Short mmCIF file of all heavy atoms in Angstrom, two decimals:
data_model
loop_
_atom_site.label_atom_id
_atom_site.label_comp_id
_atom_site.label_asym_id
_atom_site.label_seq_id
_atom_site.Cartn_x
_atom_site.Cartn_y
_atom_site.Cartn_z
N VAL S 161 -12.38 -1.30 -17.91
CA VAL S 161 -12.07 -2.61 -17.25
C VAL S 161 -13.42 -3.12 -16.59
O VAL S 161 -14.08 -2.42 -15.84
CB VAL S 161 -11.10 -2.46 -16.15
CG1 VAL S 161 -10.77 -3.82 -15.45
CG2 VAL S 161 -9.71 -1.97 -16.65
N ASP S 162 -13.81 -4.40 -16.86
CA ASP S 162 -14.96 -5.03 -16.10
C ASP S 162 -14.53 -6.37 -15.64
O ASP S 162 -13.41 -6.93 -16.01
CB ASP S 162 -16.16 -5.12 -17.01
CG ASP S 162 -16.10 -6.13 -18.13
OD1 ASP S 162 -15.29 -7.03 -18.16
OD2 ASP S 162 -16.72 -5.94 -19.18
N VAL S 163 -15.28 -6.93 -14.82
CA VAL S 163 -15.02 -8.28 -14.09
C VAL S 163 -16.21 -9.11 -14.44
O VAL S 163 -17.44 -8.75 -14.21
CB VAL S 163 -14.79 -8.16 -12.69
CG1 VAL S 163 -14.58 -9.42 -11.97
CG2 VAL S 163 -13.62 -7.16 -12.30
N GLU S 164 -15.95 -10.36 -14.98
CA GLU S 164 -17.03 -11.31 -15.19
C GLU S 164 -16.74 -12.56 -14.46
O GLU S 164 -15.69 -12.95 -14.17
CB GLU S 164 -17.08 -11.60 -16.71
CG GLU S 164 -17.65 -10.53 -17.52
CD GLU S 164 -17.64 -10.82 -18.98
OE1 GLU S 164 -16.76 -11.54 -19.44
OE2 GLU S 164 -18.66 -10.55 -19.64
N ILE S 165 -17.87 -13.25 -14.00
CA ILE S 165 -17.72 -14.55 -13.19
C ILE S 165 -18.58 -15.47 -13.98
O ILE S 165 -19.61 -15.24 -14.64
CB ILE S 165 -18.23 -14.15 -11.79
CG1 ILE S 165 -17.93 -15.40 -10.88
CG2 ILE S 165 -19.68 -13.71 -11.72
CD1 ILE S 165 -18.04 -15.19 -9.37
N PHE S 166 -18.14 -16.85 -13.80
CA PHE S 166 -18.70 -17.94 -14.57
C PHE S 166 -18.73 -19.09 -13.64
O PHE S 166 -17.79 -19.30 -12.87
CB PHE S 166 -17.94 -18.29 -15.75
CG PHE S 166 -18.38 -19.47 -16.49
CD1 PHE S 166 -19.42 -19.42 -17.49
CD2 PHE S 166 -17.88 -20.77 -16.10
CE1 PHE S 166 -19.78 -20.70 -18.14
CE2 PHE S 166 -18.16 -21.90 -16.77
CZ PHE S 166 -19.23 -21.83 -17.77
N GLN S 167 -19.86 -19.87 -13.72
CA GLN S 167 -19.95 -21.24 -12.98
C GLN S 167 -20.86 -22.12 -13.82
O GLN S 167 -21.86 -21.60 -14.49
CB GLN S 167 -20.39 -21.01 -11.57
CG GLN S 167 -21.73 -20.38 -11.37
CD GLN S 167 -22.84 -21.50 -11.42
OE1 GLN S 167 -22.75 -22.58 -11.21
NE2 GLN S 167 -24.07 -20.97 -11.64
N ASN S 168 -20.56 -23.30 -13.77
CA ASN S 168 -21.43 -24.31 -14.58
C ASN S 168 -22.07 -25.50 -13.67
O ASN S 168 -22.00 -26.69 -14.12
CB ASN S 168 -20.59 -24.83 -15.75
CG ASN S 168 -19.51 -25.79 -15.31
OD1 ASN S 168 -19.17 -25.92 -14.20
ND2 ASN S 168 -18.88 -26.48 -16.34
N SER S 169 -22.54 -25.10 -12.58
CA SER S 169 -23.03 -26.13 -11.67
C SER S 169 -24.29 -26.81 -11.95
O SER S 169 -24.79 -27.73 -11.50
CB SER S 169 -23.09 -25.57 -10.17
OG SER S 169 -24.14 -24.59 -10.19
N GLY S 170 -25.04 -26.21 -12.96
CA GLY S 170 -26.41 -26.63 -13.40
C GLY S 170 -27.52 -25.81 -12.87
O GLY S 170 -28.59 -25.91 -13.16
N ILE S 171 -27.20 -24.95 -11.83
CA ILE S 171 -28.22 -24.28 -11.12
C ILE S 171 -27.69 -22.77 -10.92
O ILE S 171 -26.38 -22.60 -10.87
CB ILE S 171 -28.73 -24.71 -9.85
CG1 ILE S 171 -27.58 -24.97 -8.80
CG2 ILE S 171 -29.49 -26.18 -10.16
CD1 ILE S 171 -28.05 -25.30 -7.44
N ASN S 172 -28.36 -21.89 -10.67
CA ASN S 172 -27.91 -20.45 -10.27
C ASN S 172 -27.28 -20.55 -8.91
O ASN S 172 -27.68 -21.31 -8.01
CB ASN S 172 -29.03 -19.44 -10.16
CG ASN S 172 -29.73 -19.25 -11.61
OD1 ASN S 172 -29.13 -19.57 -12.60
ND2 ASN S 172 -30.75 -18.57 -11.57
N ARG S 173 -26.04 -19.78 -8.69
CA ARG S 173 -25.48 -19.69 -7.47
C ARG S 173 -25.26 -18.28 -7.10
O ARG S 173 -25.38 -17.41 -7.85
CB ARG S 173 -24.11 -20.37 -7.71
CG ARG S 173 -24.06 -21.84 -8.01
CD ARG S 173 -24.57 -22.78 -6.87
NE ARG S 173 -24.40 -24.13 -7.30
CZ ARG S 173 -24.27 -25.12 -6.55
NH1 ARG S 173 -24.13 -24.97 -5.14
NH2 ARG S 173 -24.20 -26.35 -6.98
N SER S 174 -25.04 -18.03 -5.85
CA SER S 174 -24.89 -16.74 -5.28
C SER S 174 -23.46 -16.46 -4.85
O SER S 174 -22.78 -17.46 -4.35
CB SER S 174 -25.91 -16.52 -4.24
OG SER S 174 -27.18 -16.45 -4.75
N THR S 175 -23.01 -15.21 -4.86
CA THR S 175 -21.79 -14.90 -4.37
C THR S 175 -22.00 -14.34 -2.95
O THR S 175 -23.10 -13.93 -2.57
CB THR S 175 -21.13 -13.73 -5.15
OG1 THR S 175 -21.91 -12.56 -5.07
CG2 THR S 175 -20.78 -14.16 -6.55
N ASP S 176 -20.91 -14.54 -2.14
CA ASP S 176 -20.98 -13.76 -0.79
C ASP S 176 -20.78 -12.35 -1.03
O ASP S 176 -20.38 -11.96 -2.16
CB ASP S 176 -19.76 -14.27 -0.04
CG ASP S 176 -20.08 -15.66 0.75
OD1 ASP S 176 -21.26 -15.93 0.87
OD2 ASP S 176 -19.10 -16.41 1.15
N SER S 177 -21.13 -11.51 0.02
CA SER S 177 -20.97 -10.24 -0.16
C SER S 177 -20.09 -9.62 1.05
O SER S 177 -19.81 -10.29 2.07
CB SER S 177 -22.27 -9.53 -0.12
OG SER S 177 -22.82 -9.69 1.18
#
Side-chain angles (χ1 to χ4, degrees):
V161 177
D162 69 24
V163 181
E164 291 180 315
I165 190 168
F166 172 90
Q167 59 87 16
N168 70 349
S169 68
I171 61 172
N172 292 348
R173 300 290 182 149
S174 295
T175 62
D176 277 342
S177 61

